[in-house]
């Protein structure tokens, strides 16, 4: 009976809110899903469901892009002038240094691009949708607004969607919010209108931790929240400190060259003013140019590129792809690297660091009780439980699980009943302030006593741990 009610509720919701014959808004659909024809029309109208589609840059354009370096432009200018006044050997050497440096940078960048493309090609993600009344698997890129999508544990959410039906549905939103703990999502209520807190919405790029849901795609591709973030990140990349320094150095060298060439040229003209002719002028200019080439650090670009390439190779051995050589210098000049305390920016993984009593002292009993609670836990896969279970193996064979009350957002705690011999334990785990409300006694230094003055010590210890980022 419950299944029948849920089904009719879903159909009613679709008919009332999302279904219109003209299908004028993106999210409107039919109870049996979109037809292949309608899905194709929307795919043309709204585009493929990809956050960004970068045009593949050919090797020639990548190489030419490397020559935009101010120092390279300066050296190329010098070589052109050298050729124009017959200094072919000098011009050739300068050009050789420029192209050697550019080629080294090009090969590193091209190799990085190919590595990224190779990694991306390994990922083939599909999603189950309802089309013309039948479930079928399609590629992520083919999802369109109005698609009815079926999600289960492990699914990556392919678009910004509204939940139509859900059952014990928890979503990891770390990619958007930075929080490792999953969030419960509920089916839309009140005619499908979104809740103020967005509890009936799920977003592209997040993942399903547990449960099942049927959702309706509202926005796809760059119009999703994830797409908006990606679009902001794709704006013109700021220059690195290294690139800014090279630009300043290039400008300084150009000024020195201009004053030096002008000075030498004028001195030679004055010296030979009594018999000035065309040959004298060319000779004076050639001599000034020779001095300029002498003071210009021809080998500097090559030396810099080789140094940065060696750094990128060292990073590659640690499985780090360096897309821009100049970023190596920024990385090497860091004094401190700060990341999110939850580990979201690194592994999105919570680890157990310490297990303490009210006084902050290590307590094996706390660890044992926590492990029993996490080991026998059968509800949602909580990152905190996983961290406790992964910490170390603790003997639990002598214990037997009797019953469990899973964590919920009203109690804000979970409870586990276990037995060992004649001993029966009720282990309750939850937010400290919530646990304090339901307890009037505690174990302090091996003795059970009422909280009294100890409550203040517990609260102070909690504040200290929180202040340290736990």
């Amino acid at each position: 009976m419950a299944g029948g009610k849920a089904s009719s509720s879903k159909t009613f919701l679709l008919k009332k809110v999302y279904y219109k014959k003209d299908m004028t808004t993106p999210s409107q659909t039919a109870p049996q899903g979109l037809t292949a024809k309608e899905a194709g029309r929307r795919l043309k109208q709204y585009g493929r469901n990809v956050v960004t589609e970068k045009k593949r840059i050919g090797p020639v354009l990548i190489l030419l892009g490397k020559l935009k370096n101010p120092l390279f432009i300066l050296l190329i200018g010098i070589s052109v002038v050298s050729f124009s006044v017959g200094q072919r050997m000098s011009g050739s050497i300068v050009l050789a240094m420029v192209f050697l440096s550019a080629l080294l940078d090009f090969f590193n960048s091209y190799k990085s691009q190919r590595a990224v493309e190779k990694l991306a090609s390994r990922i083939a993600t599909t999603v189950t949708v309802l089309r013309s009344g039948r479930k079928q698997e399609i590629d992520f890129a083919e999802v369109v607004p109005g698609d009815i999508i079926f999600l289960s544990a492990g699914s990556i959410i392919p678009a910004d969607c509204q939940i139509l039906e859900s059952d014990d549905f928890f979503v990891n939103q770390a990619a958007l919010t930075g929080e490792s703990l999953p969030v419960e999502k509920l089916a839309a209520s009140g005619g499908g209108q979104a809740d103020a807190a967005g509890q009936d919405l799920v977003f592209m790029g997040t993942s399903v931790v547990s449960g099942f849901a049927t959702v309706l795609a509202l926005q796809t591709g760059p119009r999703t929240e994830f797409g908006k973030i990606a679009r902001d990140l794709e704006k013109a990349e700021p220059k690195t400190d290294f690139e800014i320094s090279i630009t300043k150095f290039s400008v300084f060298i150009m000024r020195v060259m201009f004053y030096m060439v002008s000075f030498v040229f004028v001195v030679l003209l004055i010296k030979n003013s009594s018999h000035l002719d065309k040959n004298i002028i060319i000779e004076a200019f050639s001599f000034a140019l020779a001095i300029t080439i002498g003071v210009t650090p021809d080998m500097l670009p090559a030396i810099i590129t080789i140094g940065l390439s060696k750094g990128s190779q060292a990073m590659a051995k640690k499985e780090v792809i360096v897309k821009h050589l100049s970023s190596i210098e920024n990385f090497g000049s860091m004094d401190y690297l700060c990341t999110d305390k939850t580990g979201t920016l690194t592994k999105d993984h919570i680890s157990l660091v310490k297990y303490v009593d009210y006084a902050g002292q290590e307590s094996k009993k706390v660890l044992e009780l926590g492990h029993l609670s996490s080991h026998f836990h059968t509800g949602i896969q909580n990152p905190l439980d996983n961290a406790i279970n992964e910490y170390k193996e603790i003997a639990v064979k002598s214990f037997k699980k009797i019953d469990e009350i899973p964590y919920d957002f009203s109690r804000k705690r979970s409870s586990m009943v276990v037995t060992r011999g004649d001993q029966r334990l009720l282990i309750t785990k939850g937010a400290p302030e919530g646990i304090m409300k339901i307890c009037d006694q505690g174990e302090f230094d091996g003795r059970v006593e009422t909280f009294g003055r100890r409550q203040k010590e517990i609260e102070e210890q909690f504040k200290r741990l929180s202040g340290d980022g736990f």
Side-chain angles (χ1 to χ4, degrees):
M1 184 177 292
K5 284 184 178 179
S7 177
S8 61
S9 172
K10 171 185 170 184
T11 305
F12 171 77
L13 181 64
L14 284 170
K15 283 181 177 178
K16 182 178 178 182
V17 182
Y18 301 115
Y19 177 57
K20 286 185 180 180
K21 289 183 180 179
D22 60 358
M23 299 217 179
T24 53
T25 62
S27 62
Q28 286 168 351
T29 189
Q32 69 272 19
L34 300 175
T35 62
K37 183 179 179 181
E38 177 63 19
R41 185 187 70 79
R42 294 189 183 196
L43 190 61
K44 287 181 180 178
Q45 181 180 355
Y46 299 106
R48 285 162 50 84
N49 183 34
V50 291
V51 173
T52 55
E53 283 193 280
K54 290 185 177 179
K55 293 182 179 178
R56 196 173 185 279
I57 303 173
V60 176
L61 290 177
I62 294 176
L63 179 58
L64 291 176
K66 301 301 176 187
L67 297 175
K68 292 190 298 184
N69 184 305
L71 196 55
F72 285 174
I73 294 172
L74 173 63
L75 292 172
I76 290 171
I78 290 174
S79 66
V80 168
V81 175
S82 298
F83 279 114
S84 66
V85 297
Q87 301 281 343
R88 294 188 177 184
M89 180 60 72
S90 298
S92 299
I93 292 172
V94 173
L95 272 183
M97 291 298 101
V98 168
F99 281 104
L100 174 64
S101 303
L103 280 171
L104 284 172
D105 197 351
F106 160 74
F107 281 123
N108 182 80
S109 300
Y110 189 67
K111 186 178 176 183
S112 298
Q113 179 181 302
R114 296 290 296 167
V116 171
E117 289 174 356
K118 190 175 180 181
L119 286 173
S121 66
R122 294 180 184 177
I123 303 170
T125 315
T126 59
V127 62
T128 303
V129 300
L130 187 68
R131 293 272 175 92
S132 299
R134 291 184 298 107
K135 287 184 179 181
Q136 63 182 79
E137 279 198 9
I138 64 172
D139 190 87
F140 259 43
E142 296 175 7
V143 174
V144 296
D147 263 326
I148 297 173
I149 304 168
F150 301 94
L151 301 173
S152 58
S155 297
I156 302 296
I157 296 168
D160 287 358
C161 308
Q162 189 165 37
I163 303 171
L164 305 179
E165 285 186 314
S166 64
D167 180 17
D168 192 28
F169 190 57
F170 285 79
V171 175
N172 185 331
Q173 299 187 136
L176 290 177
T177 65
E179 277 301 326
S180 296
L181 293 175
V183 177
E184 184 177 20
K185 295 289 185 173
L186 306 171
S189 59
Q193 298 303 312
D195 295 340
Q199 283 301 100
D200 62 342
L201 299 175
V202 288
F203 301 96
M204 183 187 208
T206 59
S207 59
V208 181
V209 177
S210 70
F212 305 88
T214 303
V215 301
L216 177 75
L218 302 178
Q219 297 288 358
T220 58
R223 291 174 299 280
T224 62
E225 294 302 315
F226 198 79
K228 292 173 185 175
I229 294 172
R231 192 163 61 247
D232 288 340
L233 293 175
E234 276 201 328
K235 290 176 181 175
E237 295 181 4
K239 288 187 176 181
T240 63
D241 292 342
F242 179 73
E243 290 171 322
I244 292 170
S245 298
I246 287 294
T247 301
K248 288 180 178 179
F249 176 74
S250 302
V251 172
F252 170 74
I253 288 293
M254 288 176 69
R255 286 176 177 171
V256 170
M257 285 170 49
F258 175 76
Y259 292 128
M260 185 172 290
V261 168
S262 301
F263 177 74
V264 172
F265 187 67
V266 169
V267 168
L268 287 173
L269 289 180
I270 293 172
K271 183 179 178 182
N272 298 282
S273 59
S274 58
H275 53 282
L276 194 65
D277 58 20
K278 182 181 177 181
N279 291 330
I280 293 295
I281 294 173
I282 293 175
E283 185 181 341
F285 187 77
S286 298
F287 183 72
L289 183 63
I291 293 176
T292 301
I293 293 172
V295 299
T296 304
D298 302 354
M299 289 294 293
L300 182 61
I303 293 169
I304 290 172
T305 304
I306 291 170
L308 295 178
S309 297
K310 187 171 178 59
S312 72
Q313 290 169 11
M315 297 297 289
K317 290 178 182 178
K318 297 181 181 294
E319 300 182 352
V320 176
I321 295 174
V322 180
K323 295 181 71 176
H324 302 289
L325 272 183
S326 58
S327 63
I328 287 288
E329 197 276 339
N330 268 17
F331 189 78
S333 64
M334 286 184 191
D335 292 319
Y336 298 97
L337 175 63
C338 300
T339 63
D340 186 287
K341 67 179 179 62
T342 61
T344 301
L345 298 181
T346 49
K347 292 184 178 179
D348 184 21
H349 186 75
I350 293 176
S351 300
L352 175 62
V353 177
K354 57 173 68 177
Y355 39 94
V356 298
D357 60 14
Y358 76 100
Q361 301 299 315
E362 184 177 291
S363 171
K364 291 184 178 179
K365 188 169 185 179
V366 168
L367 177 62
E368 182 183 78
L369 292 174
H371 184 75
L372 285 171
S373 173
S374 299
H375 176 78
F376 289 114
H377 170 75
T378 57
I380 178 176
Q381 291 299 308
N382 191 310
L384 298 175
D385 290 318
N386 292 338
I388 295 171
N389 288 331
E390 292 169 1
Y391 182 71
K392 65 167 65 175
E393 287 293 327
I394 296 179
V396 295
K397 290 183 179 179
S398 57
F399 289 91
K400 181 181 178 182
K401 177 181 173 180
I402 299 298
D403 201 1
E404 174 185 8
I405 303 175
Y407 179 91
D408 63 68
F409 289 91
S410 57
R411 294 175 71 242
K412 293 187 178 179
R413 60 182 182 271
S414 64
S415 300
M416 185 75 63
V417 181
V418 298
T419 62
R420 181 171 63 178
D422 296 333
Q423 183 187 26
R424 176 169 291 199
L425 288 174
L426 169 63
I427 306 170
T428 298
K429 179 175 62 180
E433 60 273 18
I435 296 295
M436 293 286 287
K437 287 179 181 178
I438 60 171
C439 295
D440 58 4
Q441 290 183 321
E443 185 176 303
F444 304 96
D445 303 323
R447 299 189 305 276
V448 176
E449 55 184 86
T450 57
F451 282 149
R453 62 183 176 84
R454 302 284 193 177
Q455 184 164 345
K456 188 175 181 181
E457 294 180 53
I458 295 171
E459 290 172 352
E460 287 177 353
Q461 179 61 29
F462 175 58
K463 287 178 181 178
R464 277 196 294 272
L465 290 170
S466 298
D468 289 337
F470 291 103

